[in-house]
Amino acid sequence: MSAPALPHWEETPADLPGAIREVKAAIRARIAASGRTVEEVFAAVERRVEAEVEQIEAARARGEQVWPVIDYADIAAGTVPAGQAELLHRRGCVVVRGHFDRDEALGWDRNIVEYVEGNRFFEQYRGPGDDFFGTVGSRPEIYPIYWSPAQMQARTSDRMARVQAFLNRQWKYDSEGVRWFDPDRDSLYPDRIRRRPEGADSAGLNPHLDPGTLDLWMTESYQRAFRHLFDGSVEAYDPWDAAYRTDGPQYPGTTMCSAFRTFQGWTALSDMDHDQGVLHTVPIPAAMAYLMLRPLLSDVPEDDMCGVTVNQVFPANERWHPLLVRALAGIPDVRAGDSVWWHSDMIHSVAPVRRQRGWGNVMYIPAAPWCPRNERYAADVRAAFETGSSPSDFPEEHYERAWPDRFQLADLNPTGRRGMDLAVA
């Protein structure tokens, strides 16, 4: 007997509470058709995740660094130690040491300052363009700047392309007879910069994740991506399998990401100590299974997905996910030129800080390999780049349109042209 079909909504449902009730009932029925209960499959996932949480807690108790650290030189030479590669795959996050030369990164930081000051950004700044980053408390901490020469030079560099390809290859990109993405070609997803000054107070960001919201349960492509969670075969769930993730829609919102990212990431433009308001993750890729099944348990209201809704980030918290929050682990000290990466499904947060020591400056650059979903978004990116506009995933602020020294089409190298789907001479 085939499993019951799931209802799906390719656009945001008009009646969200009704759609939540309907899809939860359908997933429960589908799991029941496998001969297991929701409680049984959740318990299997919980055991898997709890074992990882306990390993992380034990490592911390021994004074070990939870985050893997890999030297860029080893990535470039193909000599990454097997133990470090295995740890990256298990933890789903990594610091790449020496990704860029420290002096080059510090130079990019200075160039960004010259770029925004020379174009009188602070006189034009109208305040946070979205509700989420507006909570961090410093003004501004997130600069809605996308097309500076520094950002574009980093995005299109050979060193960035090598690291992105290495990270993409942690995923299973060939499965079920389909090549879901090209691991060796990035789609050049443009994002913003963060500059947090010495002495700053920042509220940080609460634990959350960014792959989507209700669309993760409600669209046909994501229902297929999470098929093993929804049909009772949870032991077969692989958080590194890209199947069905590279073509589907995402419900629109102010914090959306139209692209498929294998890893979120940023490149450090300053030295940062581990206790100075830095990134934390729950370094367990399989925790996504826990997050997706938790709303099906009987203690969650029928029209609620543990607080997940449209137009907001996907929250993780003590109320619904206390096991996961136990594993939050911060990055080690980083230096300008290092880069930091985490699996796109992973819970992450930014710790608060009071009177920060030193600057805390980064540019956000993910790994977003070429696939149908990213090819579609590349057209929007190309149009924004050519006019100096804010990309369509972000608030319509458009500060750079009239800035004469922004990165230009003629400045693109072959990597940049491929990333925007432009012909390469």
Side-chain angles (χ1 to χ4, degrees), residues 128-137 192 205 254-255 311-313 395:
D130 63 61
D131 295 334
F132 186 56
F133 277 113
T135 66
V136 296
R192 299 173 282 195
L205 296 173
T254 59
T255 56
N311 216 25
Q312 296 179 23
V313 295

Side-chain angles (χ1 to χ4, degrees), residues 177-258:
V178 176
R179 169 159 283 205
W180 301 102
F181 64 79
D182 179 351
D184 298 319
R185 179 183 178 187
D186 193 81
S187 63
L188 214 72
Y189 186 84
D191 206 330
R192 299 173 282 195
I193 58 174
R194 186 191 80 195
R195 301 196 84 252
R196 190 194 297 152
E198 188 168 11
D201 296 340
S202 178
L205 296 173
N206 291 328
H208 66 282
L209 52 158
D210 298 329
T213 57
L214 293 178
D215 42 288
L216 301 178
W217 288 273
M218 293 183 175
T219 59
E220 189 172 21
S221 59
Y222 269 116
Q223 289 171 353
R224 289 178 176 175
F226 295 122
R227 60 201 178 281
H228 295 301
L229 305 182
F230 297 159
D231 68 7
S233 59
V234 292
E235 289 80 5
Y237 170 67
D238 180 0
W240 297 99
D241 187 355
Y244 306 106
R245 299 182 59 135
T246 59
D247 197 21
Q250 185 179 25
Y251 293 164
T254 59
T255 56
M256 70 181 296
C257 178
S258 296

